[in-house]
Amino acid sequence: LGLSSHHGVHGNNATNIVIQDLQIYDFEVAGIQLNGFEGARILNVDIGPSLHNVSLTAYYSNARNLLLALTRLLEGIESYGVDMPTVSYSYLIDESLTLGEVRDNLAASMDIIYRFCTGDELTDDEYNSLELFNNYDNLPDGGSLYGIALKYGEDVYIENVTISDMELNTNEVIGVDFKECHNENYEPVLKVSQSPTVYQETLSPTPAPTLFRSQPD
């Protein structure tokens, strides 16, 4: 059971589940995920490897959903006859884009990565737009990867299950750092992280002493 951009087996509110004598492989999120189940038997199952040939980053999935939302929004703007909103960006000095232009640019960049993945020739300018969507590592690009994920269920029996060869490409962002709890002079500083796909500037983790105090003020 293989080649899934989501799970090998995914069930919601199922009962009396039997998953037996399977090899589950080439998935991006989980080999098996059961939510709200009652009665599950997982027997003689080999899970892995996870998918290692993922052409696109997770930003592409986000972009598809955003494109649908923008299209619906623009249809509403046109039907109600309201003024077209504009959007400003910090890197576009003294320049702004209409919401329609934002939508068109997003659609064009998605078309370019699609053509790239299907073998079409690109211009030099078009190659510049690959950075956001092209997955250089070919590993699943998401927040988590599971062999088996069981949530809000009861009565489960697992026997002779192996999980192996799971790899994920993810960026960890630490929200609170407790290392500096005893250093009163510690202050967050700007740090720059460079990845093959996205250039980010973020603040360092918030020091725990600024969030947690032994006594109220």
Side-chain angles (χ1 to χ4, degrees):
L1 184 61
L3 195 53
S4 170
S5 61
H6 206 210
H7 305 80
V9 176
H10 189 195
N12 293 314
N13 303 317
T15 59
N16 300 323
I17 308 149
V18 178
I19 302 172
Q20 185 172 356
D21 300 329
L22 280 178
Q23 181 185 6
I24 302 174
Y25 59 95
D26 285 352
F27 49 86
E28 288 193 50
V29 179
I32 299 171
Q33 178 160 339
L34 304 176
N35 304 315
F37 64 92
E38 182 176 353
R41 303 292 181 265
I42 305 174
L43 311 169
N44 306 321
V45 176
D46 183 11
I47 299 174
S50 56
L51 191 58
H52 286 72
N53 187 23
V54 182
S55 300
L56 303 174
T57 66
Y59 294 115
Y60 186 83
S61 176
N62 296 335
R64 288 191 64 85
N65 290 325
L66 180 59
L67 191 63
L68 291 173
L70 285 174
T71 300
R72 291 290 300 275
L73 181 59
L74 289 169
E75 289 172 353
I77 290 172
E78 181 178 359
S79 64
Y80 285 100
V82 299
D83 293 337
M84 177 67 68
T86 59
V87 181
S88 299
Y89 297 90
S90 60
Y91 59 87
L92 294 177
I93 301 175
D94 298 328
E95 186 178 349
S96 62
L97 299 175
T98 67
L99 197 60
E101 289 172 329
V102 171
R103 187 267 179 204
D104 292 343
N105 289 343
L106 179 62
S109 65
M110 294 172 67
D111 289 342
I112 290 170
I113 189 64
Y114 176 82
R115 288 169 44 218
F116 174 76
C117 290
T118 54
D120 282 3
E121 292 291 332
L122 302 182
T123 66
D124 291 340
D125 288 340
E126 288 175 331
Y127 270 106
N128 293 331
S129 70
L130 298 179
E131 293 299 312
L132 184 62
F133 298 134
N134 191 26
N135 187 5
Y136 294 90
D137 296 318
N138 287 320
L139 293 175
D141 176 46
S144 58
L145 178 64
Y146 306 96
I148 300 176
L150 305 175
K151 299 181 179 180
Y152 312 115
E154 59 183 30
D155 186 17
V156 58
Y157 179 80
I158 299 175
E159 180 181 295
N160 193 28
V161 172
T162 61
I163 300 173
S164 60
D165 299 325
M166 309 271 287
E167 290 188 85
L168 173 71
N169 181 25
T170 188
N171 292 324
E172 181 183 23
V173 179
I174 301 173
V176 179
D177 188 355
F178 285 87
K179 293 188 300 182
E180 306 291 342
C181 281
H182 302 290
N183 183 354
E184 295 181 359
N185 296 323
Y186 177 78
E187 294 181 359
V189 295
L190 186 68
K191 64 179 181 180
V192 177
S193 60
Q194 182 78 49
S195 75
T197 56
V198 180
Y199 185 83
Q200 296 176 321
E201 288 188 354
T202 60
L203 287 175
S204 65
T206 302
T210 66
L211 295 181
F212 304 101
R213 304 178 188 274
S214 59
Q215 295 180 351
D217 291 338

